[in-house]
């Protein structure tokens, strides 16, 4: 079992819809959580950190569920420009503070 | 916008050649990383550094070396390139939380 798992998708979603996807992690000692966005053939870019209380940045909401060991990303009013791969990243104390990357969820927003 | 640079952006080279991929950042970050990523696949950590004169191996480090003589510079060297090294190489740096990536070097070994 992978340490960080994501549904690879692709998620095909009409423009304007709300889409959510989860990321599960196996190590209960995980400390920090992030969502990155990666466009095709580009480098990953930090989208948002995920805080215990949940956090929101415009149309994006990230939540953490420590009991069930998953984080989620919700995108409201999706735009064509939201099409990308969304990577879940977990920072675990046990692995010497190294970041463990999920393989990503591909999102395609259709007009 | 992050200030982290990689050169070359694209490199096509023959088998057996020694190559060095350059990475530099102007943010004064202590932590730097090298990742390898094939198209549509996940990132794999090759090497990382927590500061000057600190280097550690990641998952795929056995065929490459790094050095960290200056805070801003973290070059990656492949002693003898092979076709299996064909991939995208991404350099990143961080201070507290979150990584900032360079644009990557797309390497093709023929």
């Amino acid at each position: 079992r992978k340490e960080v798992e994501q549904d690879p998708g692709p998620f095909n979603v009409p423009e304007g819809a709300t889409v959510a996807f989860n990321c599960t992690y196996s190590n209960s000692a995980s400390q920090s959580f992030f969502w990155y966005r990666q466009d095709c053939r580009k480098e990953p870019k930090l989208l948002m950190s995920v805080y215990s209380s949940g956090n929101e940045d415009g149309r994006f909401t990230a939540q953490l569920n420590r009991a069930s060991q998953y984080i989620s990303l919700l995108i409201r009013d999706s735009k064509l420009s939201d099409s990308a791969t969304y990577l879940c990243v977990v920072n675990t104390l046990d692995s010497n503070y190294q970041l463990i990357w999920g393989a990503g969820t591909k999102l395609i927003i259709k007009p | 916008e992050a200030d982290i640079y990689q050169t070359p952006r694209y490199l096509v080279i023959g088998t057996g050649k020694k190559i060095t991929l350059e990475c530099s950042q102007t943010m004064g970050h202590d932590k730097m990383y090298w990742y390898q990523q094939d198209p549509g696949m996940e990132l794999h950590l090759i090497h990382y550094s927590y500061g000057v004169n600190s280097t550690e191996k990641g998952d795929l480090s056995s065929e490459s070396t790094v050095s960290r003589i200056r805070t801003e510079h973290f070059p990656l060297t492949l002693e003898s390139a092979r076709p299996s090294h064909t991939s995208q190489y991404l350099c990143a740096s961080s201070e507290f939380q979150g990584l900032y990536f360079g644009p990557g070097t797309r390497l093709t070994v023929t």
Side-chain angles (χ1 to χ4, degrees), chain B residues 45-94:
Chain B
L45 182 65
I46 311 172
H47 293 276
Y48 58 100
S49 167
Y50 286 152
V52 171
N53 294 325
S54 149
T55 60
E56 301 289 343
K57 294 180 183 293
D59 303 326
L60 296 179
S61 61
S62 60
E63 299 171 4
S64 60
T65 58
V66 291
S67 62
R68 190 85 184 277
I69 299 171
R70 303 198 314 268
T71 298
E72 62 270 21
H73 195 212
F74 191 42
L76 174 77
T77 298
L78 291 172
E79 292 294 332
S80 179
R82 298 208 302 269
S84 61
H85 292 140
T86 295
S87 188
Q88 169 148 284
Y89 292 82
L90 291 160
C91 179
S93 73
S94 71

Side-chain angles (χ1 to χ4, degrees), chain A residues 2 4 38 87 101-104, chain B residues 35-45:
Chain A
K2 289 187 177 181
V4 175
Q38 186 172 27
L87 302 167
W101 293 78
Chain B
Y35 285 91
Q36 183 178 340
Q37 186 183 34
D38 293 320
M41 304 297 285
E42 60 206 90
L43 289 145
H44 291 284
L45 182 65

Side-chain angles (χ1 to χ4, degrees), chain A residues 75-111:
Chain A
I75 306 174
R76 288 181 299 278
D77 188 24
S78 53
K79 313 289 184 192
L80 295 176
S81 57
D82 292 334
S83 297
T85 296
Y86 290 83
L87 302 167
C88 166
V89 190
V90 175
N91 186 333
T92 301
L93 178 65
D94 289 1
S95 60
N96 196 24
Y97 293 103
Q98 283 312 300
L99 296 173
I100 310 297
W101 293 78
T105 296
K106 187 170 184 177
L107 176 64
I108 300 171
I109 306 297
K110 296 188 174 295

